[in-house]
Amino acid sequence: MSTPTTSEPSVIRMNPPVFYFAAGFILIFGLVVISLPEAAGEWLLAAQNWAANTVGWYYMLAMTLYLIFVIVTALSGYGKIKLGADHDEPEFSYLSWAGMLFAAGISITLFFFCVSEPLTHMLAPPQGPAGTEESARQAMQLLFLHWGLHGWGVFAFVGMALAYFAYRHNLPLALRSALYPLIGKRINGPIGYAVDGFGIIATVFGLGADMGFGVLHLNSGLDYLFGVPHTQWIQVGLITLMMGAAILVAIAGVDKGVRVMSDINMLLACALLLFVLFAGPTQHLLNTLIQNIGDYLGSLPTKSFDVYAYNKPSDWLGGWTVFYWAWWIAWSPFVGLFIARISRGRTIREFVFGVLLIPLGFTLAWMSIFGNSAIDQVLNHGLAALGQAAIDDPSRALYLLLETYPWSKTVIAVTVFISFVFFVTSADSGTVVLSTLSAQGNNADEDGPKWLRVFWGGLTALVTSSLLFSGSIDALKSAVVLTSLPFSLILLLMMWGLHKAFHLESQKQIAQMHSLAPVSASRRGRGGWRQRLSQAVHFPSRDEVYRFMDTTVRPAIEEVSAVFIEKGLNVVTQPDLAFDNVSLEIGHGEAQPFVYQVQMRGYFTPSFARGGMGPKELRNRRYYRAEVHLSEGSQDYDLMGYTKDQIINDILDQYERHMQFLHLVR
């Protein structure tokens, strides 16, 4: 299924079919909405109602399937598979990795919805009487549902698929790679490019919704602090200003400065959370947090499938749960690519449970503390204006809540600053991801061209502005629901492809254990027991392994290649110019190719072998091995000391195992 990497430098460029398909659709959509804002708003709202009434059940089922798939995969034997080669180790420590996952859970939309949504659900519930303690409890269940495991489940699924095929099988870091087990090399044709194109379309509208909610939230904060009016042109100006700042950051590459600002921002967000907790009814908020978690976990199975079939609200499902599921799906390529990039070398099990639980803890704590603070103000302190604002103008709700706390002006100013930085960093990351998804020639650790970042940033700003002109929040929700629908189907196909790839991997492991022919004496016979003993206690230098690779390994692979070519097989040999890597690939049509690669790897000499060495030598002395790698990674054995014939026999041993694998999966 995979091909080995080469030593040639990659050339990153725009992927024309993906770019023109996605950009053309989005540009036409944006221009139509700008030209006919009122008509477009009515059409979008009607389309969303149609989607909620027609395919609402499908969104509910699909999101639950994504979550079940990642959890079952993690708990199964497949959970031991690494997102990378078997010898890959995680790039980041657990603490650093957890910190980056934590950062992925924070967005400006947490500020927009943390107060407005629970109050809206309490005062306008999907079922039952409004404004009661029972409706408040139901409101928090719904809030946790919308921001809980389902959303992070789809992020984990997409991140797992991207990382698995890119890092373990050396396929492009693209959504289409997950379809390789289903359509093979046709992923680099119209079908594969359409998959990437639909992923970009969904991502642009998902980012557009995030920007739309964010600019409404910021406009309300500036209005509170400085009297900046709520007008569409002011909001367009804010979008232009902040997206411009994000584009400058994206093309300037000031990663260190942005990272420092983001770290400060997260500390401020945590400080704001603790301030609301301890300056408010602390005991009540802690009690409700624990009860909210219990209510959420207890109602999760039923709420996952609740489409209100017997007591269906007219437009509630489409405006809330279906919208959220579509929005999470739209964001999945963006967040999935981020968490894939930082998770190379992790097992699937630790990846899935890390992604599901680490960001979730902060998100639910944030929603519970702010949501219950607002509910307490409305139910127990008679602040009816706060509840009405949540329904009529949700972007003001958080500020009205903070107004009831000490030092409100300062706290609100800090909140506006935090929101601004989150807006810029999210938009910056989004443009980088979109450029990567619409590029080709880059490896899994490289981003797309800078000009593509500028283009996608401008186009996302255009889409956001046009939707705000055509109907504000309702238009944003409608566009997300509609553009996510085709991509949700692609995710189901990706699930099928990933499952098939896992099955193939398990069959290959069986084939390695049960070869058609027994292991030859090549790994045992090295010229008698004295030579074997000498080899076991010898720790070769870099030059020794270089010479061995050049004089023994390379001729063995070239000799085997010549015979395979005589047999009519598709053979590729890829020597490294520095003689530290030589590989053999044998193609078998649409079936997975056979890859045999020998790599020189260095290690620190063990302490028991350092007798007579000085302090400096003890620190710097390294030894090297000529290790065998197959497509799934290192096989953890060394060829040093083998003869050319023994290496040829080893290649044939591994090739026979590969043929057994192809037999098992025929």
Side-chain angles (χ1 to χ4, degrees), residues 315-450:
D315 57 357
W316 189 93
L317 187 68
W320 288 104
T321 305
V322 171
F323 159 69
Y324 268 112
W325 289 174
W327 197 13
W328 286 102
I329 289 170
W331 262 66
S332 60
F334 170 33
V335 181
L337 182 63
F338 169 75
I339 59 179
R341 283 276 187 86
I342 64 173
S343 302
R344 185 171 191 159
R346 300 277 172 197
T347 66
I348 286 177
R349 182 170 297 130
E350 62 185 329
F351 172 84
V352 167
F353 288 115
V355 173
L356 285 183
L357 300 179
I358 293 172
L360 182 70
F362 176 82
T363 303
L364 296 187
W366 179 280
M367 289 298 185
S368 179
I369 290 170
F370 278 93
N372 284 299
S373 297
I375 288 173
D376 178 65
Q377 288 289 338
V378 174
L379 282 185
N380 301 323
H381 295 86
L383 196 60
L386 174 59
Q388 194 59 44
I391 296 175
D392 297 337
D393 189 3
S395 63
R396 295 176 56 237
L398 175 60
Y399 301 115
L400 292 177
L401 172 66
L402 294 177
E403 198 175 32
T404 65
Y405 281 76
W407 312 300
S408 59
K409 281 279 188 181
T410 302
V411 173
I412 289 173
V414 170
T415 302
V416 171
F417 173 77
I418 296 171
S419 304
F420 174 79
V421 177
F422 278 139
F423 187 106
V424 172
T425 52
S426 294
D428 162 42
S429 303
T431 57
V432 172
V433 168
L434 287 168
S435 71
T436 302
L437 292 175
S438 56
Q440 62 182 356
N442 52 319
N443 64 39
D445 298 316
E446 294 177 310
D447 297 318
K450 292 181 178 179

Side-chain angles (χ1 to χ4, degrees), residues 56-71:
W57 63 269
Y58 161 75
Y59 270 110
M60 301 289 287
L61 182 61
M63 283 293 286
T64 304
L65 286 176
Y66 304 146
L67 177 60
I68 292 173
F69 179 81
V70 295
I71 292 176

Side-chain angles (χ1 to χ4, degrees), residues 217-523:
H217 169 75
L218 285 170
N219 196 170
S220 291
L222 294 173
D223 181 23
Y224 183 90
L225 293 173
F226 308 111
V228 177
H230 276 263
T231 67
Q232 291 174 327
W233 286 110
I234 290 290
Q235 291 159 10
V236 170
L238 288 172
I239 290 172
T240 304
L241 173 66
M242 288 182 287
M243 180 54 80
I247 291 173
L248 287 176
V249 171
I251 62 176
V254 287
D255 294 339
K256 186 175 181 181
V258 174
R259 190 176 299 115
V260 170
M261 185 174 289
S262 298
D263 292 341
I264 295 172
N265 215 38
M266 282 188 287
L267 291 175
L268 289 174
C270 292
L272 178 62
L273 179 66
L274 294 175
F275 171 78
V276 173
L277 173 62
F278 291 111
T282 307
Q283 189 66 38
H284 172 70
L285 295 178
L286 293 174
N287 287 335
T288 52
L289 172 60
I290 298 303
Q291 182 156 337
N292 292 158
I293 293 173
D295 287 345
Y296 168 61
L297 295 177
S299 65
L300 184 62
T302 55
K303 285 296 181 184
S304 298
F305 300 97
D306 192 354
V307 294
Y308 304 98
Y310 295 99
N311 184 24
K312 190 172 185 179
S314 57
D315 57 357
W316 189 93
L317 187 68
W320 288 104
T321 305
V322 171
F323 159 69
Y324 268 112
W325 289 174
W327 197 13
W328 286 102
I329 289 170
W331 262 66
S332 60
F334 170 33
V335 181
L337 182 63
F338 169 75
I339 59 179
R341 283 276 187 86
I342 64 173
S343 302
R344 185 171 191 159
R346 300 277 172 197
T347 66
I348 286 177
R349 182 170 297 130
E350 62 185 329
F351 172 84
V352 167
F353 288 115
V355 173
L356 285 183
L357 300 179
I358 293 172
L360 182 70
F362 176 82
T363 303
L364 296 187
W366 179 280
M367 289 298 185
S368 179
I369 290 170
F370 278 93
N372 284 299
S373 297
I375 288 173
D376 178 65
Q377 288 289 338
V378 174
L379 282 185
N380 301 323
H381 295 86
L383 196 60
L386 174 59
Q388 194 59 44
I391 296 175
D392 297 337
D393 189 3
S395 63
R396 295 176 56 237
L398 175 60
Y399 301 115
L400 292 177
L401 172 66
L402 294 177
E403 198 175 32
T404 65
Y405 281 76
W407 312 300
S408 59
K409 281 279 188 181
T410 302
V411 173
I412 289 173
V414 170
T415 302
V416 171
F417 173 77
I418 296 171
S419 304
F420 174 79
V421 177
F422 278 139
F423 187 106
V424 172
T425 52
S426 294
D428 162 42
S429 303
T431 57
V432 172
V433 168
L434 287 168
S435 71
T436 302
L437 292 175
S438 56
Q440 62 182 356
N442 52 319
N443 64 39
D445 298 316
E446 294 177 310
D447 297 318
K450 292 181 178 179
W451 74 266
L452 276 176
R453 305 176 199 179
V454 176
F455 175 84
W456 289 119
L459 194 58
T460 304
L462 173 68
V463 167
T464 306
S465 301
S466 64
L467 290 171
L468 286 174
F469 267 88
S470 66
S472 191
I473 293 177
D474 289 334
L476 290 169
K477 290 183 174 182
S478 302
V480 170
V481 171
L482 294 176
T483 54
S484 295
L485 186 58
F487 187 61
S488 68
L489 295 169
I490 291 171
L491 290 183
L492 293 176
L493 292 176
M494 289 171 61
M495 186 188 301
W496 182 15
L498 199 55
H499 173 73
K500 188 172 182 180
F502 290 155
H503 175 70
L504 292 175
E505 180 135 351
S506 67
Q507 294 301 305
K508 189 162 191 176
Q509 291 175 357
I510 294 173
Q512 291 285 358
M513 295 172 60
H514 303 92
S515 177
L516 284 171
V519 177
S520 71
S522 63
R523 298 187 194 178

